[in-house]
């Protein structure tokens, strides 16, 4: 029935979804580094449709937007009609009901057909390799690279050898000839510099340098003697010139002295003329001063006359002033008498006031004395009352003190009783606490003894383990020492064999060194002859050359 089919389909779908969830929970990751080739997947549908629309849009530029919209709606309708004719299956699950279209062809339209080699390539790339396989693959790649590099090096060496053979057989051009000559020149220079570093050549260079120094010193001595003779002649010539200059200077000095004498005589004559002129001027000044004195005396007499006239006038003015002063003094005396009378009246008034003031002060003092006497009487009365009150207060204080003492004694006796009672309780508590402490101490000592026994057993076990460990370590150390001794013996044997081989090589090298020494001596002799010829060509005296040859012929002890 359809209902049963639908329910069966629903149950099957629910069972499949449950199994899918169960499988999802048990999913196991094979590899985190696996890769999938993208050729297995096509483009998404919406991307494909968008590309088609864009292609149609750009290819059909003459179509309007309305036409494109109509075409799109027609496609949707035709698609809906097609879907109506397709077979559908209804799927019922717990959360929804769906109608699924049974596809008759590839719905995406993106299916592709892969060739066999592409399929095998994808399968090989999708495989997950183990660590050993990856290492083997890397080793294989490394071997292939090394083989390729070796083949490349062989080809390079072959081409290089062919090129060298071609260059040997080929005639050199100008540049190559020049380069070859430069190289040979540099090589010869290098050989010469290397030969110069030889001890014998260094000694020869020192002798040559010494000979050159002696030759240069002789030349310098000769040159110094020549220079000394020339200097002596020059000094003589300078002495003659200085004597001539001295004679000329004496003549010039005599001329100068003569001129100075003439100038002094002329100066003396001029001084006499100036003295006479000064004397005449002095006489003129004296006469002028006399005239000025006469004029001054006349002026003084005139001033004295004016002063006498002024004095007389001043005397008249003083007389008038004296009269005015006398009149003013008389007026002042009158005013003074009037003032004295007024002062006497004022003094009388002051005397009256002072008399009245003294009477008032006497009355005030009398009143104050009366008040003082009354105050003393009142003070005596109050003092008597205070004495009586003080006696009553003393009696009350004595009674109060007696009562306070009795109260203190009662409180002390009560306190003593309480303290004795408290002391008894405390002693009882101390006895009980001491008993508890003794029992606790015994228990603690028992526990401590048990702990010490356990600690002793633990230490004993640890010591046994330590002894066993030391025994094993000693055994291993002994084994290592034996192994080391065997290694040392092996090394000794190897070194002895190496020493024998080195001794053989030493003898072989001795023969080779003798041959090299012979060639070296020949080269040194050539160099010595060449340097002596250079000295002879440089003009060095023969005595120095003979000395150098004699020292070269002597055996040299050169410390290295």
């Amino acid at each position: 029935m359809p209902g049963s089919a639908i329910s069966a389909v629903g149950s099957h779908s629910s069972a499949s979804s449950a199994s899918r969830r169960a499988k999802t929970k048990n999913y196991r990751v094979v590899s985190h580094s696996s890769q999938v080739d993208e050729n297995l997947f096509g483009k998404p549908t919406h991307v494909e449709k968008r590309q088609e629309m864009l292609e149609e849009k750009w290819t059909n530029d003459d179509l309007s937007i309305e036409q494109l919209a109509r075409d799109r709606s027609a496609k949707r309708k035709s698609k809906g009609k097609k879907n109506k004719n397709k077979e559908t299956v209804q799927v019922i699950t717990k959360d929804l009901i769906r109608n699924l279209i049974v596809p008759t062809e590839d719905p995406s339209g993106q299916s592709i057909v892969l060739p066999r080699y592409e399929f095998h390539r994808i399968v090989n790339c999708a495989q997950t390799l183990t660590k050993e396989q990856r290492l083997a693959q890397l080793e294989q790649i490394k071997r292939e690279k090394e083989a390729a590099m070796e083949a490349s090096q062989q080809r390079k060496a072959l081409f290089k050898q062919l090129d060298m053979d071609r260059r040997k057989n080929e005639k050199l051009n100008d540049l190559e000839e020049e380069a070859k000559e430069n190289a040979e020149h540099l090589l010869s220079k290098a050989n010469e510099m290397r030969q110069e570093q030889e001890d014998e050549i260094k000694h020869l260079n020192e002798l040559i340098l010494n000979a050159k120094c002696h030759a240069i010193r002789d030349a310098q001595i000769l040159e110094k003697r020549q220079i000394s003779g020339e200097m002596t002649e020059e000094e003589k010539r300078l002495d003659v010139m200085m004597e001539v200059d001295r004679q000329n200077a004496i003549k010039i000095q005599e001329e100068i002295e003569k001129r100075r004498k003439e100038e002094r005589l002329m100066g003396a004559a001029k001084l006499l003329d100036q003295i006479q002129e000064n004397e005449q001027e002095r006489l003129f000044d004296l006469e002028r001063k006399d005239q000025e004195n006469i004029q001054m005396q006349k002026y003084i007499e005139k001033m004295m006359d004016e002063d006498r006239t002024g004095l007389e006038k001043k005397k008249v003015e003083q007389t008038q002033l004296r009269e005015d002063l006398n009149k003013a003094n008389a007026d002042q005396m009158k005013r003074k008498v009037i003032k004295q009378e007024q002062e006497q009246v004022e003094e009388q008034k002051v005397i009256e006031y002072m008399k009245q003031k003294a009477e008032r002060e006497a009355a005030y003092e009398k009143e104050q004395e009366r008040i003082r006497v009354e105050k003393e009487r009142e003070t005596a009365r109050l003092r008597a009352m205070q004495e009586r009150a003080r006696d009553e207060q003393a009696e009350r204080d004595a009674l109060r003190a007696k009562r306070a003492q009795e109260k203190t004694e009662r409180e002390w006796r009560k306190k003593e009783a309480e303290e004795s009672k408290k002391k008894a309780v405390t002693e009882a508590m101390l006895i009980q606490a001491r008993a508890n402490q003794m029992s606790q101490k015994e228990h603690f000592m028992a526990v401590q003894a048990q702990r010490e026994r356990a600690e002793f057993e633990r230490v004993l076990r640890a010591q046994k383990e330590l002894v066993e460990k030391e025994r094993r370590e000693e055994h291993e150390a002994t084994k290592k020492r034996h192994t080391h001794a065997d290694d040392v013996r092996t090394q000794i044997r190897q070194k002895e064999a190496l020493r024998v081989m080195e001794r053989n090589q030493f003898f072989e090298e001795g023969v080779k060194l003798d041959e090299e020494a012979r060639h070296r001596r020949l080269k040194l002799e050539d160099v010595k002859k060449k340097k002596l010829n250079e000295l002879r060509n440089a003009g060095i005296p023969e005595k120095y050359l003979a000395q150098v040859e004699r020292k070269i012929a002597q055996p040299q002890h050169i410390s290295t």
Side-chain angles (χ1 to χ4, degrees), residues 243-301:
E243 183 64 23
V244 173
D245 291 338
R246 189 179 67 80
Q247 295 294 334
N248 294 330
I250 290 171
K251 291 179 181 179
I252 293 169
Q253 189 67 27
E254 289 177 354
E255 291 290 335
I256 292 170
E257 289 293 334
K258 185 177 179 181
R259 289 179 182 176
R260 285 180 180 175
K261 188 175 181 180
E262 293 176 355
E263 289 176 356
R264 282 198 296 271
L265 293 174
M266 293 174 65
K270 288 182 179 180
L271 285 173
L272 291 174
D273 295 338
Q274 289 178 0
I275 289 169
Q276 292 177 359
E277 290 177 358
N278 291 332
E279 185 66 23
Q280 290 179 0
E281 288 180 359
R282 189 175 65 80
L283 293 174
F284 289 151
D285 290 337
L286 290 173
E287 187 176 357
R288 188 177 64 254
K289 286 180 180 179
D290 292 338
Q291 294 294 329
E292 289 177 355
N293 289 330
I294 292 169
Q295 294 293 330
M296 183 60 68
Q297 287 178 359
K298 290 180 179 180
Y299 178 73
I300 290 170
E301 290 177 356

Side-chain angles (χ1 to χ4, degrees), residues 178-427:
E178 185 177 357
K180 184 178 179 182
E181 290 176 359
N182 291 332
E184 291 176 353
H185 178 68
L186 291 174
L187 183 60
S188 63
K189 286 291 184 183
N191 291 328
E192 290 178 1
M193 292 176 67
R194 185 171 56 81
Q195 289 175 358
E196 290 292 334
Q197 298 300 321
E198 296 289 341
D199 294 335
E200 295 179 359
I201 300 300
K202 288 182 179 179
H203 181 64
L204 178 60
N205 290 332
E206 290 178 0
L207 296 176
I208 292 171
L209 183 61
N210 192 11
K212 288 182 179 179
C213 290
H214 282 294
I216 293 169
R217 183 172 175 275
D218 293 341
Q220 288 177 349
I221 291 170
L222 181 60
E223 185 180 2
K224 186 176 181 181
R225 289 175 182 174
Q226 292 177 357
I227 292 171
S228 178
E230 292 176 357
M231 290 292 292
T232 304
E233 293 177 358
E234 184 67 20
E235 287 177 357
K236 289 179 180 180
R237 188 178 66 81
L238 290 174
D239 290 339
V240 173
M241 291 175 65
M242 289 174 67
E243 183 64 23
V244 173
D245 291 338
R246 189 179 67 80
Q247 295 294 334
N248 294 330
I250 290 171
K251 291 179 181 179
I252 293 169
Q253 189 67 27
E254 289 177 354
E255 291 290 335
I256 292 170
E257 289 293 334
K258 185 177 179 181
R259 289 179 182 176
R260 285 180 180 175
K261 188 175 181 180
E262 293 176 355
E263 289 176 356
R264 282 198 296 271
L265 293 174
M266 293 174 65
K270 288 182 179 180
L271 285 173
L272 291 174
D273 295 338
Q274 289 178 0
I275 289 169
Q276 292 177 359
E277 290 177 358
N278 291 332
E279 185 66 23
Q280 290 179 0
E281 288 180 359
R282 189 175 65 80
L283 293 174
F284 289 151
D285 290 337
L286 290 173
E287 187 176 357
R288 188 177 64 254
K289 286 180 180 179
D290 292 338
Q291 294 294 329
E292 289 177 355
N293 289 330
I294 292 169
Q295 294 293 330
M296 183 60 68
Q297 287 178 359
K298 290 180 179 180
Y299 178 73
I300 290 170
E301 290 177 356
K302 182 179 179 182
M303 292 298 293
M304 289 176 69
D305 293 338
E306 291 178 355
D307 290 338
R308 281 194 295 271
T309 305
L311 286 172
E312 291 176 356
K313 187 177 180 180
K314 190 174 183 181
K315 286 180 180 180
V316 174
E317 291 177 354
Q318 287 179 355
T319 303
Q320 184 67 32
L321 182 61
R322 192 179 296 110
E323 291 176 355
D324 294 337
L325 287 173
N326 291 329
K327 188 184 290 186
N329 288 331
D331 294 337
Q332 187 175 3
M333 289 298 292
K334 290 179 181 179
R335 286 194 298 273
K336 188 174 181 181
V337 171
I338 294 169
K339 187 176 181 182
Q340 286 178 356
E341 291 176 355
Q342 290 177 355
E343 287 178 355
Q344 289 177 359
V345 173
E346 292 291 333
E347 287 178 359
Q348 189 66 31
K349 289 180 180 180
V350 169
I351 290 169
E352 291 292 333
Y353 174 75
M354 294 298 292
K355 186 178 179 181
Q356 292 175 3
K357 184 178 180 181
E359 291 176 355
R360 287 195 301 272
E361 288 179 355
Y364 178 75
E365 288 179 357
K366 188 177 181 180
E367 183 67 22
Q368 290 294 325
E369 182 67 20
R370 185 183 63 79
I371 292 170
R372 185 180 63 78
V373 172
E374 290 180 356
K375 283 184 178 181
E376 287 179 355
R377 290 175 183 174
E378 184 68 21
T379 301
R381 187 178 65 81
L382 292 174
R383 190 177 293 111
M385 291 175 67
Q386 286 178 356
E387 289 292 336
R388 288 193 298 273
R390 190 179 293 110
D391 294 338
E392 293 176 357
Q393 184 68 28
E395 292 177 358
R396 285 195 296 270
D397 291 340
L399 182 61
R400 192 180 295 110
K402 185 178 180 181
R403 290 175 181 174
Q405 185 177 2
E406 291 176 355
K407 183 179 179 181
T408 303
E409 289 177 356
R410 286 195 300 273
E411 290 178 354
W412 180 78
R413 285 193 295 272
K414 184 179 179 181
K415 186 177 180 181
E416 286 291 328
E418 290 177 354
E419 286 181 356
S420 60
K421 185 177 179 181
K422 186 176 180 181
K423 185 177 181 182
V425 173
T426 304
E427 289 178 354

Side-chain angles (χ1 to χ4, degrees), residues 416-458:
E416 286 291 328
E418 290 177 354
E419 286 181 356
S420 60
K421 185 177 179 181
K422 186 176 180 181
K423 185 177 181 182
V425 173
T426 304
E427 289 178 354
M429 290 175 65
L430 287 173
I431 292 169
Q432 183 65 29
R434 191 176 293 109
N436 294 333
Q437 187 177 5
M438 291 297 293
S439 62
Q440 289 177 1
K441 186 175 182 181
E442 291 175 356
H443 177 69
F444 176 75
M445 291 176 68
V447 173
Q448 186 69 20
Q450 184 67 25
R451 288 179 180 174
E452 289 178 355
R453 189 179 298 107
E455 182 68 18
F456 174 74
E457 292 176 356
R458 186 185 65 78

